[in-house]
Amino acid sequence: MNQTSNTIRKSSGDAPETVSLAATQDLLPDLCHVRAVLWLILFSEALVLVMILLSSGALTFSWMEFGTLSMYVQWVVLLTAASLCRVRLHVQRLSLNQLMLLSFVVILSVNLMISLAAMWGLNRVIGENLGLDWVLRNQIISALVGGLLLHYFYAQLQWRLQARSELQSRVQALQSRIRPHFLFNSMNIIASLIHEDPDKAEQAVEDLSELFRASLKEAGAEVPLEQELSLCRKYVHIEQLRLNDRLHIDWQIDESTLDTHLIKIPMLTLQPLIENAIYHGIQPSVQGGTVTVKIIYADNWVRITVSNPLPSKIQSIRHEKGNHMALENTRYRLQALYGEEISMGSYTKADRFEFELAYPFRLPAGR
């Protein structure tokens, strides 16, 4: 969720609020998308129906007037949508107020152009006596409807920014927490290795410092998948020093088809899942086991599966119950970036526990 440092400040009541300029693009819906245009057409047709019912009534409903007005309104809607689609692609240098003013001017300009063309065509073709008062009426209606829509989009933007800010704060709080037991265990391992194997102790210190450095970075920041995998391998190396032969990791990553340097993932998303699998699946088991990490990319979706063996009931009773912090952490990280599109689930398969997550990611064009 990288955002530019340039901001604009506006007032809402007594409390000033800072809005990133990068967020101004979210003011307008993506009118280059077919679904958004379809909803806009349906909304405009409903508006036409209301206007006809108010002017002629239900019993004397004029289909001719409905068809004429619908054709006029659809021309206005489609040309306005096409214009705002282009505007939305070039808003990086505009403030929020400038974008709203530009959008309002575009709506009025398109409506004025269509009104003048319709007045000329109807007067010339069918002899309809339309004057500038008809054009002025259309402009007033267009200004009212356009203003209401822009206000609605503005309110939606504020709601999204507030929700995003709350998610970011919660993700930051979650990210700043590193389990104390892991820190203490790591420091004990390093202390024991200083005299036995100084090289391993030095490597463990470097790995631990990388984990702490990552935890201090911006919450929700996306990094290349290969960087996240490198961080996870450093974490696994520390755990293997503690658990020895009890811990095995099966990395099922086909790097020949998976562009790990192009695919992005929120930092410290995969590592907590592996930590959760080790803590609940390997640590309570005397014989240990294998944690499997599988990552695939297909149909513009990244799918990650982390599985671990299930300890026996006696081992589970003796083992300290976790608070599912890793899973909650992952959910909020992905929701902060991808909204409700993410997919997460867990289930027991044979003698193993599997956790799956999927989030949408589109590779750059040409890949």
Side-chain angles (χ1 to χ4, degrees):
M1 191 174 298
N2 299 328
Q3 295 185 356
T4 179
S5 60
N6 298 324
T7 56
I8 58 175
R9 188 170 292 276
K10 56 186 182 59
S11 297
S12 176
D14 297 328
E17 184 177 358
T18 301
V19 179
S20 170
L21 288 179
T24 59
Q25 188 172 1
D26 294 335
L27 173 67
L28 299 175
D30 187 4
L31 296 176
C32 301
H33 197 277
V34 175
R35 180 177 297 180
V37 176
L38 178 60
W39 278 109
L40 199 57
I41 291 175
L42 293 176
F43 171 78
S44 61
E45 281 300 299
L47 183 61
V48 169
L49 183 61
V50 171
M51 293 176 64
I52 298 298
L53 289 174
L54 290 175
S55 62
S56 63
L59 297 179
T60 58
F61 187 85
S62 174
W63 287 103
M64 179 65 70
E65 186 178 358
F66 176 77
T68 303
L69 187 56
S70 292
M71 183 174 65
Y72 166 80
V73 169
Q74 292 309 324
W75 271 104
V76 173
V77 167
L78 293 176
L79 286 179
T80 301
S83 300
L84 293 179
C85 170
R86 302 303 303 175
V87 168
R88 192 176 185 273
L89 297 177
H90 305 281
V91 300
Q92 290 81 1
R93 300 179 181 178
L94 298 178
S95 68
L96 187 62
N97 291 335
Q98 290 172 338
L99 179 58
M100 290 187 67
L101 179 60
L102 178 58
S103 301
F104 189 68
V105 170
V106 167
I107 293 172
L108 292 183
S109 300
V110 171
N111 183 75
L112 178 61
M113 180 182 67
I114 299 297
S115 295
L116 292 175
M119 182 183 69
W120 178 84
L122 292 175
N123 288 347
R124 187 176 180 87
V125 176
I126 63 176
E128 192 74 35
N129 187 19
L130 298 177
L132 293 178
D133 60 331
W134 181 77
V135 175
L136 179 60
R137 185 195 70 172
N138 291 343
Q139 285 295 94
I140 294 175
I141 295 175
S142 177
L144 292 174
V145 175
L148 288 174
L149 280 176
L150 288 175
H151 182 271
Y152 171 76
F153 294 150
Y154 175 81
Q156 287 291 307
L157 174 63
Q158 297 305 305
W159 179 83
R160 287 195 298 269
L161 289 176
Q162 182 179 358
R164 188 179 301 172
S165 176
E166 291 174 355
L167 274 177
Q168 279 293 93
S169 298
R170 189 162 187 177
V171 169
Q172 184 68 61
L174 289 170
Q175 182 167 310
S176 63
R177 298 177 187 175
I178 294 182
R179 285 178 174 171
H181 78 269
F182 169 69
L183 174 61
F184 296 147
N185 289 336
S186 299
M187 298 304 295
N188 289 333
I189 291 171
I190 293 171
S192 64
L193 288 174
I194 288 177
H195 299 291
E196 298 178 7
D197 195 332
D199 291 336
K200 283 187 177 181
E202 182 180 357
Q203 183 61 50
V205 170
E206 293 177 356
D207 292 341
L208 187 61
S209 65
E210 287 294 325
L211 288 170
F212 273 94
R213 186 179 294 112
S215 70
L216 296 176
K217 290 186 178 180
E218 180 184 0
E222 287 184 299
V223 297
L225 178 59
E226 64 180 358
Q227 182 176 335
E228 177 74 1
L229 288 173
S230 176
L231 193 68
C232 290
R233 289 188 172 99
K234 293 179 184 299
Y235 166 75
V236 169
H237 178 254
I238 295 175
E239 289 287 25
Q240 284 177 328
L241 290 175
R242 179 171 65 92
L243 299 172
N244 297 316
D245 293 337
R246 291 167 57 200
L247 172 61
H248 302 276
I249 301 290
D250 180 15
W251 302 97
Q252 297 184 8
I253 303 169
D254 186 3
E255 298 190 8
S256 62
T257 58
L258 191 67
D259 294 323
T260 55
H261 64 291
L262 292 178
I263 293 177
K264 298 294 184 67
I265 186 172
M267 179 175 287
L268 288 178
T269 294
L270 181 58
Q271 183 272 331
L273 299 182
I274 298 177
E275 179 181 357
N276 193 70
I278 294 175
Y279 181 73
H280 293 287
I282 307 300
Q283 183 169 316
S285 175
V286 176
Q287 67 273 18
T290 300
V291 172
T292 301
V293 181
K294 182 178 181 181
I295 305 177
I296 61 174
Y297 177 79
D299 300 325
N300 297 322
W301 279 78
V302 179
R303 303 183 184 278
I304 300 175
T305 303
V306 178
S307 66
N308 58 267
L310 289 173
S312 65
K313 292 183 178 181
I314 296 178
Q315 293 169 337
S316 297
I317 293 173
R318 294 176 179 176
H319 183 60
E320 180 185 356
K321 296 295 183 181
N323 57 4
H324 304 286
M325 183 63 70
L327 306 188
E328 183 183 11
N329 192 332
T330 301
R331 179 180 298 278
Y332 280 106
R333 288 175 191 277
L334 294 175
Q335 283 183 342
L337 279 173
Y338 310 109
E340 299 299 327
E341 289 187 278
I342 65 168
S343 172
M344 296 180 62
S346 60
Y347 56 90
T348 300
K349 185 178 181 180
D351 58 346
R352 297 184 66 82
F353 174 83
E354 293 192 2
F355 179 82
E356 293 183 347
L357 72 87
Y359 63 93
F361 182 84
R362 187 178 297 275
L363 286 173
R367 295 289 179 175

